[in-house]
């Protein structure tokens, strides 16, 4: 992902894009490392999975998620901005740029938000495909009664019919298709998290 200049200036909020799927542990640790040396402490009462709040004396700073795949956040003061807030935002921006991220202007944010929604919808689709394919690898389905059985079962858990050679052949083909789907869905999700443009992902087949 290309890196653009920070341009923090005197804006109340700064918008940052990171080549990762979501606001997970490693990303939170990145932000903590950037702010901790100057006395900012994560609010222990803030348990949100979408945001992080830091306090420094009476000053408070919030980072809020705006999009996923890749992670898009906006960060700014809670209340009136001070020099401490601006220094904190500059530190966060530097950490993001050093991690191959980007800083967005307000105009860039407005232009990107529709794509952020499209990217999340694509990620949901790939996650559903991944979940379905993984289920097919964890259990085999009876072609007669549609019950699920353990992959090593010789008889159906529902109708107790013994699996035939034809059933085993069909199961092998199902495993092959499901394995290919898992690999493809994982690759697309990784590309989405890195910021690969949607147009370049449209060639992926949907198994």
């Amino acid at each position: 992902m290309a890196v653009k200049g920070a341009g923090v200036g005197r804006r109340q909020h700064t918008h940052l894009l990171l080549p990762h799927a979501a606001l997970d542990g490693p990303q939170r640790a990145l932000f903590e490392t950037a702010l901790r040396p100057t006395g900012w402490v994560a609010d222990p009462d803030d348990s949100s999975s979408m945001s992080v709040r830091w306090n420094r004396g009476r000053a408070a700073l919030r980072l809020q998620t705006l999009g996923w795949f890749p992670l898009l956040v906006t960060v700014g003061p809670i209340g009136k901005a001070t020099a401490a807030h601006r220094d904190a935002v500059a530190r966060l921006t530097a950490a993001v740029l050093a991690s191959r991220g980007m800083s967005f202007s307000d105009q860039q944010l407005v232009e990107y938000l529709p794509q952020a929604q499209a990217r999340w919808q694509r990620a949901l689709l790939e996650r559903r495909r991944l979940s379905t394919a993984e289920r097919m690898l964890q259990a085999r389905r009876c072609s007669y009664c549609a019950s699920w059985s353990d992959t090593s079962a010789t008889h159906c858990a529902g109708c107790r019919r013994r699996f035939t050679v034809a059933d085993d052949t069909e199961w092998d083909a199902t495993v092959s298709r499901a394995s290919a789907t898992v690999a493809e869905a994982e690759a697309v999700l990784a590309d989405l998290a890195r910021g690969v443009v949607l147009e370049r992902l449209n060639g992926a087949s949907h198994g």
Side-chain angles (χ1 to χ4, degrees), residues 2-56:
V3 173
K4 296 186 178 180
V8 175
R10 295 280 176 170
R11 287 187 293 160
Q12 282 289 101
H13 288 80
T14 294
H15 321 299
L16 304 169
L17 190 74
L18 296 94
H20 299 278
L23 184 59
D24 56 13
Q27 301 316 303
R28 290 173 181 267
L30 173 70
F31 301 141
E32 285 292 321
T33 300
L35 294 185
R36 192 181 304 116
T38 54
W40 290 94
V41 179
D43 190 333
D45 295 326
D46 184 4
S47 59
S48 172
S49 62
M50 299 281 292
S51 65
V52 187
R53 171 177 171 146
W54 293 276
N55 299 318
R56 180 183 174 186

Side-chain angles (χ1 to χ4, degrees), residues 177-200:
R177 290 193 300 270
S179 297
T181 298
V182 166
E184 183 182 278
E186 288 179 339
V188 173
L189 287 170
D191 283 343
L192 284 168
R194 290 202 313 272
V196 173
V197 295
L198 287 172
E199 287 77 6
R200 287 175 56 189

Side-chain angles (χ1 to χ4, degrees), residues 23 25 30 44 53 64 67 85 102 107 118 120 147 190 192 199:
L23 184 59
L30 173 70
R53 171 177 171 146
Q64 180 69 43
H85 287 111
M102 298 172 63
Q107 181 60 40
W120 175 236
S147 295
L192 284 168
E199 287 77 6

Side-chain angles (χ1 to χ4, degrees), residues 67-78:
W68 304 267
F69 290 92
L71 174 63
L72 173 64
V73 300
T74 188
V75 58
I78 300 177

Side-chain angles (χ1 to χ4, degrees), residues 123-197:
L124 287 178
L125 170 64
E126 297 301 329
R127 280 180 162 179
R128 285 196 294 268
R129 293 180 64 221
L130 181 61
S131 177
T132 299
E134 288 177 336
R135 173 69 187 275
M136 298 301 295
L137 294 175
Q138 294 167 359
R140 63 187 300 175
R141 197 170 192 179
C142 178
S143 60
Y144 183 76
C145 73
S147 295
W148 292 93
S149 304
D150 187 79
T151 56
S152 61
T154 58
H155 291 72
C156 172
C159 65
R160 305 305 302 168
R161 181 179 66 89
R162 182 178 180 84
F163 291 123
T164 65
V165 172
D167 291 324
D168 291 340
T169 300
E170 181 181 352
W171 164 242
D172 289 341
T174 297
V175 168
S176 180
R177 290 193 300 270
S179 297
T181 298
V182 166
E184 183 182 278
E186 288 179 339
V188 173
L189 287 170
D191 283 343
L192 284 168
R194 290 202 313 272
V196 173
V197 295

